[in-house]
Amino acid sequence: MTLVEKILAAHSNRETVSPGELINVRVDLILANDITAPLAIKEFRRLGIDRVFDPEKVVMVPDHFVPNKDIPSAEQAKMMREFALEQGLVYFEVGEMGIEHVILPEKGLVLPGDVVIGADSHTCTYGALGAFATGMGSTDIASAMATGDIWMKVPPTIRFIYQGKPGKWVSGKDLILYTIGDIGLDGALYSAMEFTGEAVDALSMDSRFTMANMAVEAGAKAGIFRVDERTLDYVKSRAQRPYTVYEPDDDAQYARTIEYDVSTIEPQVAFPHQPSNTRPISKAGEIKIDQAVIGSCTNGRIEDLIIAAEVLKGRKVNRRVRCIIIPGSQAVYLEALHRGLIQTFIEAGAVVSTPTCGPCLGGYMGILAAGERCVSTTNRNFVGRMGSTESEVYLASPAMAAASAILGRLASPEEVAG
Amino acid sequence: MKLKGKVHKYGADINTDVIIPARYLNISDPGELAKHCMEDIDREFIGRVQPGDIIVADTNFGCGSSREHAPLALKAAGISCIIARSFARIFFRNALNIGLPILECDEAAGKTDASDILEVELSRGEIVNTTKGVTFKAEPIPSFMLELIEAGGLIEYTKRKLAAGGGRS
Ligand code: SF4
């Protein structure tokens, strides 16, 4: 069995499972946010029961439109807060908050071998920890909050092997953008993506989160990494409960195996209006930008901010560009403060926001006008994603976003920082 | 269950951001959401759609965010069924869970035009294009999912399961 099949078998009390089988899976953690929780709560109430199956296994995070951007958002956040407190769920108020997919791993709430379902498509981020994590809708979450289990179809696994040594400015973001560009928006539809190979072994945890995060952009049900020393290092100081490390069998069956030589991959940028519309930066041409956003559940972690600061240090953001930097959590914010990154950003002429999803989904804190272009470290650039349907979003790494902010056009970090 | 309606035709990769833009996600009332359904790719949709109408699309319909607001908005706008070459998996679950029937059918997606009239027999997976006088066979809905639809969606199904002493593992 593959890694994913091992985890699913263990959570459905079966010796083995195989792709295509419909199984009932026990879940270790259930997640919802200020957009999806209100619908889930309404549906939960219809079930006619009073309590969730286990309050310690249900997490609610206000992150999309908080601190509340307007009155309707305030109502939604209030509904979620009241339910979370009434039920005694795991809940983070704004002073402790962050983007769900940044804080759950950070707080040790997701551990290797877990099955996690979340009413958010980027729940797949936790695959970086060797967990099986997948996004669902609010009704699925409502049902799972009641029963502690969920129906699922066992996905086939596609194995991606990354060989070689990446160039200086090539990050996890570039590898995943390259991969999505190669296989397309539905290249891994209904499947799990397993990321392996020497280049992946050398990646930091933050870069692995970035890659797993965007598995859904290729249609995947989950993205997953094997647990190694780096994973265990990350988890050790955070875990407050036991966990199990699963390994794929030597004779595991993969639907496909795709190999890449990362030494030939340049920094990537996804052009509007699809994450799969990627090009190497050398083929981007002259694209002037009005805004740069560095943050989100894809690239709002400390490594991302360190790299952005390396590029921005001692330089100035182009005077035509709004550079918006959003740490993914209060912990990331605090560490950036200790390291002097926040000062670097402000001196460079960037604005630094409290953690929030904000502009990533066109909520607030950086909405685009018609005709404007933004280079962003987020994960989607669909029509109207960050504001006007006549605006454009270009997806890239934090290094490229920072370099572009300085030059006022899409630019390779190499041009600025060598 | 037999459905009948006029076709609205779309291409590949219709994502949930265009089905219902995030700027409306501070509301969750289906009727309110429906007013803005599809407005970022098809401004005329909401003026044109009639109760019972059917969407026919290419591959990967409903990709992107997990927002259940997307199938809810489509259903509240009057859409009775969606037929596509393939669906994004979260959208697939969400649609079934809220009782919006969806069918995968390559042939129907390829040979149906906007404004054609379709008749759909869900349990048999049969799609009749009465405008063109042709019949298509969709991928059969797995029996477990038919059970879900017949129960009236996942919540009703879970209610039954809880009543029978299931779940709470
Ligand atoms: S940062 Fe963007 S992609 Fe991530 S959870 Fe928030 S809205 Fe979704």
Side-chain angles (χ1 to χ4, degrees):
Chain A
M1 286 188 285
T2 65
L3 179 49
V4 159
E5 287 155 15
K6 280 275 185 75
I7 297 174
L8 292 180
H11 284 75
S12 56
N13 302 329
R14 291 177 182 226
E15 294 276 297
T16 63
V17 296
S18 46
E21 263 183 285
L22 275 175
I23 55 172
N24 210 44
V25 183
R26 192 162 31 81
V27 297
D28 298 298
L29 202 70
I30 300 170
L31 164 74
N33 59 49
D34 51 323
I35 286 179
T36 56
L39 276 179
I41 294 165
K42 277 190 208 163
E43 293 303 302
F44 179 81
R45 300 276 194 219
R46 282 178 51 207
L47 284 168
I49 56 168
D50 302 330
R51 318 286 325 164
V52 303
F53 85 107
D54 182 347
E56 284 176 18
K57 292 185 177 169
V58 182
V59 189
M60 292 199 172
V61 185
D63 57 357
H64 280 63
F65 294 157
V66 299
N68 305 336
K69 83 176 176 100
D70 56 17
I71 297 167
S73 312
E75 297 293 345
Q76 296 207 134
K78 181 171 170 234
M79 180 177 177
M80 178 167 99
R81 176 185 311 111
E82 285 173 352
F83 182 80
L85 297 182
E86 166 203 307
Q87 297 281 327
L89 310 182
V90 184
Y91 174 75
F92 301 101
E93 202 37 271
V94 291
E96 256 195 300
M97 56 110 47
I99 301 168
E100 47 196 336
H101 311 309
V102 179
I103 60 175
L104 264 54
E106 214 175 72
K107 305 233 183 224
L109 290 168
V110 180
L111 297 172
D114 281 356
V115 169
V116 183
I117 60 169
D120 190 278
S121 61
H122 294 103
T123 302
C124 55
T125 309
Y126 316 129
L129 294 167
F132 179 84
T134 189
M136 291 189 180
S138 297
T139 299
D140 273 317
I141 292 313
S143 171
M145 285 199 300
T147 63
D149 57 16
I150 190 86
W151 69 268
M152 222 181 257
K153 203 156 125 188
V154 180
T157 302
I158 306 175
R159 180 170 50 169
F160 294 82
I161 305 177
Y162 299 83
Q163 304 287 18
K165 201 170 173 300
K168 180 170 178 212
W169 296 106
V170 173
S171 65
K173 182 62 165 286
D174 301 292
L175 299 186
I176 193 65
L177 283 176
Y178 181 87
T179 305
I180 297 164
D182 181 47
I183 65 172
L185 269 196
D186 60 355
L189 197 62
Y190 298 124
S191 308
M193 301 169 84
E194 185 184 314
F195 303 108
T196 69
E198 57 176 354
V200 157
D201 294 341
L203 284 181
S204 67
M205 284 311 294
D206 284 1
S207 260
R208 294 181 195 181
F209 284 121
T210 303
M211 289 186 72
N213 173 271
M214 289 192 72
V216 66
E217 262 56 73
K221 182 166 190 158
I224 199 162
F225 289 77
R226 292 165 72 160
V227 174
D228 63 8
E229 281 306 314
R230 217 162 264 182
T231 328
L232 294 174
D233 265 355
Y234 182 91
V235 165
K236 234 180 274 163
S237 58
R238 299 177 157 92
Q240 282 157 35
R241 58 179 165 91
Y243 55 89
T244 313
V245 173
Y246 297 93
E247 289 284 341
D249 292 327
D250 290 336
D251 61 352
Q253 298 282 315
Y254 294 95
R256 281 162 82 193
T257 295
I258 298 173
E259 285 194 53
Y260 299 118
D261 175 1
V262 303
S263 66
T264 64
I265 297 178
E266 261 186 71
Q268 301 287 309
V269 52
F271 272 53
H273 289 285
Q274 290 189 333
S276 56
N277 194 11
T278 55
R279 297 183 200 175
I281 182 66
S282 60
K283 301 231 160 63
E286 174 86 13
I287 306 283
K288 285 225 179 328
I289 58 152
D290 305 282
Q291 178 167 296
V293 169
I294 299 172
S296 83
C297 60
T298 318
N299 284 115
R301 298 183 182 79
I302 194 65
E303 176 187 274
D304 303 313
L305 299 191
I306 290 171
I307 293 171
E310 191 182 328
V311 177
L312 286 166
K313 180 131 190 123
R315 303 189 173 88
K316 282 278 178 208
V317 168
N318 189 288
R319 55 188 295 263
R320 286 190 319 103
V321 174
R322 313 176 299 265
C323 181
I324 302 167
I325 300 181
I326 311 176
S329 70
Q330 291 286 67
V332 172
Y333 201 157
L334 203 53
E335 173 144 14
L337 203 61
H338 287 321
R339 288 173 177 259
L341 310 183
I342 304 296
Q343 185 166 351
T344 300
F345 295 146
I346 294 175
E347 283 172 357
V351 65
V352 183
S353 157
T354 192
T356 179
C357 293
C360 171
L361 80 164
Y364 66 134
M365 285 294 302
I367 303 305
L368 300 173
E372 288 193 325
R373 293 199 182 108
C374 177
V375 58
S376 177
T377 69
T378 52
N379 47 38
R380 289 191 179 130
N381 55 352
F382 297 141
V383 170
R385 174 79 179 175
M386 204 176 272
S388 166
T389 52
E390 284 152 57
S391 63
E392 294 182 345
V393 176
Y394 295 76
L395 305 176
S397 70
M400 197 190 293
S404 307
I406 293 164
L407 295 179
R409 59 172 168 81
L410 282 188
S412 165
E414 211 172 355
E415 278 188 67
V416 172
Chain B
M1 195 154 46
K2 194 161 184 169
L3 309 162
K4 182 177 180 178
K6 199 164 79 182
V7 169
H8 303 259
K9 186 96 193 275
Y10 296 100
D13 304 314
I14 298 300
N15 65 73
T16 54
D17 273 281
V18 298
I19 297 172
I20 183 73
R23 58 184 176 277
Y24 303 117
L25 296 184
N26 52 7
I27 42 177
S28 58
D29 176 66
E32 284 298 311
L33 290 168
K35 291 182 190 159
H36 305 288
C37 191
M38 303 300 256
E39 75 178 26
D40 281 0
I41 48 160
D42 183 359
R43 285 218 167 263
E44 275 83 58
F45 172 79
I46 209 63
R48 203 171 65 224
V49 68
Q50 297 292 327
D53 281 2
I54 292 171
I55 284 183
V56 176
D58 208 282
T59 52
N60 205 21
F61 187 90
C63 64
S65 127
S66 70
R67 60 189 71 158
E68 207 163 287
H69 311 64
L72 279 174
L74 287 164
K75 195 179 173 197
I79 293 297
S80 68
C81 175
I82 306 174
I83 299 164
R85 286 189 203 268
S86 62
F87 290 89
R89 55 159 288 279
I90 304 178
F91 185 91
F92 188 94
R93 290 186 77 103
N94 287 348
L96 291 178
N97 286 345
I98 65 151
L100 173 63
I102 57 179
L103 288 171
E104 289 187 334
C105 183
D106 255 330
E107 240 201 320
K111 295 184 180 159
T112 299
D113 294 307
S115 300
D116 286 359
I117 302 292
L118 296 186
E119 282 180 12
V120 179
E121 178 56 66
L122 271 190
S123 50
R124 289 207 304 274
E126 200 177 88
I127 303 165
V128 183
N129 185 326
T130 57
T131 309
K132 296 198 164 63
V134 275
T135 300
F136 313 110
K137 197 86 187 123
E139 291 292 316
I141 302 183
S143 59
F144 165 74
M145 291 170 199
L146 266 181
E147 245 180 81
L148 263 189
I149 298 177
E150 276 158 19
L154 182 66
I155 290 299
E156 294 304 320
Y157 179 86
T158 304
K159 254 192 199 167
R160 286 185 202 174
K161 188 163 121 183
L162 286 169
R168 300 228 155 206
S169 47

